[in-house]
Structures are given as structure tokens and as C-alpha cells.
Amino acid sequence: MSERLWPSGAATAIGSMPDTDPAEAAAVVFGELPDFPHLPELPGRGVGADMLGRTAALLVDLAVDVVPSGYRVVDRPGHEHRRAVDLLRWDLDAVQEAREKAGVTPPVFKVQLAGPWTLGAGIELPRGHRVMTDRGALRDFTSSLLDGLAEHVAEVQARTGAPVVVQFDEPSLPAVLAGDLSTPSGYGTVPAVPAPEARQLLTTVIEGARRITGHPVVLHCCAAKPPLGLLREAGADAVAFDLAALGGASAAFLDEIGEVWDGGATLFLGAVPATAPGSPPTLKDIGEPVFRLADRLGFNRSVLAERAVPTPACGLAGATPEWMRRALALTRDLGKAFVEPPEGW
């Protein structure tokens, strides 16, 4: 699916933001990213507001609670699960209010949730093993996730009036593929998941999300050297990654990026630092590496306006409120530069 809902030159963000006020976060998103706003995530509020807790709040007929090692499957929703559901509801209220105050319906609205491998790696079964180690449990989680996503998308559409794009976050995927996740004892590691198996499950959720929304699906991985080819082979319409991952990148990795782009995928390019750098960057500082990437891969620079969306490098939860606003403004201005590059770039 290549349909692009967002206007040429639109910019968006990955998801998380600093502080704890959902009304303020939603107002900033609609103000700074009017062409491609997203549902803000505020992990600073604690348990239930982080990526795993927030995604678990969407699960249907499955519940999790908090134990010393993290999230664990339980028989019935407890206090922390109910808190995660409430936090998400408050966030949706804030988004609806911000949209009404803005007085316009955005062309598209993005929601984010943990992908199946990150969810399966980060939540434990009752005996302490990761959900991903039990393929039956992992299938159940995936099915529950898609059921919950359908309800979530319907509510977001009703509150925003906009078509919804789904972004699956998979920061744990490289560790899943490499066998780098620890066992409950801490003395061993979970066996690596073969790439074909990882790809198949991703395909299941991508196709499921696409059926729910009828629109492109984004896969995000901000780990170093993300498996972009695998994400695209799984069916992702767009892949999001941190441009800093290109630092010292091999020719093979650059070829992989070029193949993904040439194959028709949209690249969500994490160009703006997620936390304030030592010296304030200019728009040119931020933009030149992106234009050089297009040049280096042999693409006409017009590809940036056609099949690229600028974003911060990753989530902004660790940023100061001042840098968060500056980062979103730079991201928005970079999108405009994709359409009309300033002289001298």
C-alpha cells in the first residue's frame, strides 16, 4: 500500500514527550505538527504510561500487573492495569480538546503501540518467562493486540475526525533476532528468533492493522543498525529509524536503506536530536545530513518530498520542555525544506 495520507512536506514525531500534562502535550503537538499530529505518550507519569503499559491497556481479555521485574500476565486486571487504561483515556480526552481548540481536522493522525516482539519480550508469563518464549501465548497476545487496536482506532477516529495511521514500535527486535535477551535467572539468554519467524509475526500485525485502518502502517526501530530490510519484507509501508544509526554505517547497511527506499517505502527519518545537543543546531545543521543521504544513495532530492517524513531521532521523553518545542519546530521546518530546499543546501 503506497497511499500517502499526509501532505508533502509534513512532519511528525515518534511518540513520547516530557512532563506529565496530557493537555499541554496535545496542544503542543497540534500546534507544532498540524499536518501530521500524533497521540502523545507521557512515560514520566510512571507505571502504565510507558510503552509496554500503554499497549497492555489495549489488550482484550488479557491483563497484566506489575511485579519487581516488570509487567506480568495475571488472571484479572489489577490496579496498575486499570491505571494504564485511565491514563490512555485521559490522553484521548486531551487530544479531542486540543483538536477542537485548533478548530481544524488534521489530514491524518498517528497512534503508536509496541509491536508484538517488543511486547512479547517485555511482558512475563505467570512463571516469569517472557511471553515470546511461548509461541501459543505470543499468538494469543498478537490476536488480543489487534482486537484492542481495532477499538482504539475507532475511538481515535471518532475523537479527531481524521484517518488514523498506526506505528508499531519495535526497539527490542534486534535483541530478539540476536538472542541477547536474558532468561529469568539472568544466567542465560533466550534463544534467537529466526528472521523468517520474526518476519511472519510482523506481517500478521501489519496486515491486521492495515485491514483495521485501510491506510499505511509504520514500523519504528530506533536501535543501532535496525533491520530495515526485514521490516520492509514483512510488509511495512514505512520504516522509521534514527539517522544517527548511519554513523559509521557499512556499505551493506546503506545499500539496505537504498533498497527499502527504492522499493517504494516511505522513510521516517529521525533527523532532530531527541535531547538538546551541546550547541543549538540550525535547520541547516539538521537538514544537510538528510540531503547528503539522498545524494549518497543516488536518489533525486525530490524523493524527500515524495517519500520521506522528518521526525526527531526517537521519543522526546528525556528532553527538556524547551528542547521538545524546539525539536518539533525544527522537524516541522525540515519537512518544509524537503519541498523547497533553501539555497546553498
Side-chain angles (χ1 to χ4, degrees), residues 117-193:
W117 289 111
T118 293
L119 194 67
I123 295 179
E124 300 175 355
L125 294 166
R127 293 187 177 182
H129 294 279
R130 299 175 191 269
V131 167
M132 61 168 283
T133 63
D134 183 325
R135 295 302 186 260
L138 187 60
R139 285 194 298 272
D140 290 344
F141 260 72
T142 301
S143 177
S144 176
L145 181 64
L146 289 174
D147 288 344
L149 178 62
E151 296 177 5
H152 184 51
V153 166
E155 181 165 10
V156 171
Q157 287 176 329
R159 287 173 176 264
T160 64
V164 174
V165 165
V166 172
Q167 171 187 304
F168 288 106
D169 291 320
E170 282 287 9
S172 298
L173 181 59
V176 167
L177 295 169
D180 287 341
L181 297 170
S182 64
T183 57
S185 68
Y187 293 112
T189 56
V190 176
V193 173

Side-chain angles (χ1 to χ4, degrees), residues 8-24:
S8 182
T12 192
I14 296 302
S16 69
M17 298 176 69
D19 286 349
T20 60
D21 184 348
E24 175 67 14

Side-chain angles (χ1 to χ4, degrees), residues 37-283:
H38 69 284
L39 181 60
E41 301 167 3
L42 302 173
R45 292 176 295 183
V47 173
D50 60 293
M51 178 177 59
L52 290 176
R54 190 179 185 87
T55 304
L58 298 176
L59 297 174
V60 174
D61 295 330
L62 283 172
V64 302
D65 212 337
V66 177
V67 296
S69 54
Y71 289 102
R72 180 172 291 182
V73 178
V74 292
D75 292 335
R76 59 184 61 84
H79 171 76
E80 302 300 349
H81 189 106
R82 292 193 296 271
R83 181 175 187 272
V85 172
D86 287 343
L87 289 172
L88 180 56
R89 178 73 56 184
W90 296 338
D91 291 347
L92 292 173
D93 289 344
V95 161
Q96 182 174 353
E97 181 180 356
R99 200 277 300 172
E100 291 171 353
K101 286 183 176 179
V104 295
T105 298
V108 61
F109 190 84
K110 181 168 70 70
V111 299
Q112 310 81 219
L113 64 160
W117 289 111
T118 293
L119 194 67
I123 295 179
E124 300 175 355
L125 294 166
R127 293 187 177 182
H129 294 279
R130 299 175 191 269
V131 167
M132 61 168 283
T133 63
D134 183 325
R135 295 302 186 260
L138 187 60
R139 285 194 298 272
D140 290 344
F141 260 72
T142 301
S143 177
S144 176
L145 181 64
L146 289 174
D147 288 344
L149 178 62
E151 296 177 5
H152 184 51
V153 166
E155 181 165 10
V156 171
Q157 287 176 329
R159 287 173 176 264
T160 64
V164 174
V165 165
V166 172
Q167 171 187 304
F168 288 106
D169 291 320
E170 282 287 9
S172 298
L173 181 59
V176 167
L177 295 169
D180 287 341
L181 297 170
S182 64
T183 57
S185 68
Y187 293 112
T189 56
V190 176
V193 173
E197 184 178 341
R199 183 170 59 244
Q200 182 178 16
L201 186 63
L202 290 172
T203 297
T204 297
V205 296
I206 291 168
E207 292 180 348
R210 197 182 290 129
R211 283 194 300 270
I212 290 167
T213 67
H215 301 306
V217 177
V218 184
L219 263 288
H220 167 243
C221 182
C222 59
K225 308 299 185 291
L228 301 182
L230 186 148
L231 298 181
R232 177 58 175 168
E233 290 166 6
D237 303 291
V239 292
F241 64 99
D242 180 359
L243 272 180
L246 302 184
S250 65
F253 184 61
L254 289 171
D255 287 344
E256 187 175 7
I257 296 172
E259 290 170 5
V260 168
W261 219 355
D262 193 46
T266 296
L267 298 187
F268 282 51
L269 299 169
V272 180
T275 55
S279 57
T282 65
L283 181 61

